[in-house]
Amino acid sequence: MRDTDSSTPSSGPLDKIYGITNIKSYIPLLLDLDRLNYDSSKELFKTHCIGYSVYDHLDKSSSSSSKQPIDQSVSWKEVENIVKQWLYGTLTQSVLQSILVSDPTAAEVWKAIEDLFHENK
């Protein structure tokens, strides 16, 4: 009989997200309305999220009620807030102040950033 400890999380992309304390090390661009860097920044951020298996938090069709985290020890809400922290960490102060609202989802923040830059083209 094999002894399996269900309390030991598997090592995977969702475990690694907790180790990212400085998103700027991975995404060196600050998203700024005065620069034409939205497309580059979006690509870097999307690639990062896909690589860490959290892109579904930015996908409009996802929600906490319809998605379950891959690692059951990691709650959807925790990952959701880490993804929002990553987003906020890639914005200049003026962009952050333009899109910041109370208790948005990561997908809503992602969409607000997109809308802001499309309006200012």
Side-chain angles (χ1 to χ4, degrees), residues 44-57:
L44 288 172
F45 197 86
K46 181 178 174 182
T47 300
H48 179 78
C49 287
I50 290 169
Y52 282 85
S53 301
V54 295
Y55 183 70
D56 54 341
H57 287 267

Side-chain angles (χ1 to χ4, degrees), residues 25 42 47 61 73 91 108:
S25 297
K42 178 182 175 183
T47 300
S61 65
S73 68
L91 307 176
E108 290 168 340

Side-chain angles (χ1 to χ4, degrees), residues 20 22-24 26-31 37-59 79-91 106-107 109-111 113:
I20 299 174
N22 183 3
I23 193 64
K24 292 173 189 164
Y26 299 86
I27 304 169
L29 297 177
L30 273 181
L31 197 49
N37 65 353
Y38 173 73
D39 291 334
S40 299
S41 180
K42 178 182 175 183
E43 177 61 21
L44 288 172
F45 197 86
K46 181 178 174 182
T47 300
H48 179 78
C49 287
I50 290 169
Y52 282 85
S53 301
V54 295
Y55 183 70
D56 54 341
H57 287 267
L58 302 180
D59 184 356
V79 175
E80 175 77 4
N81 282 288
I82 289 170
V83 173
K84 286 191 332 186
Q85 289 173 352
W86 290 349
L87 279 165
Y88 295 153
T90 62
L91 307 176
V109 173
W110 183 248
K111 178 72 171 126
I113 293 167

Side-chain angles (χ1 to χ4, degrees), residues 56-57 59-68 76 80 105 107:
D56 54 341
H57 287 267
D59 184 356
K60 290 179 252 180
S61 65
S62 300
S63 72
S64 60
S65 61
S66 66
K67 293 283 187 180
Q68 293 298 317
W76 175 271
E80 175 77 4
T105 65

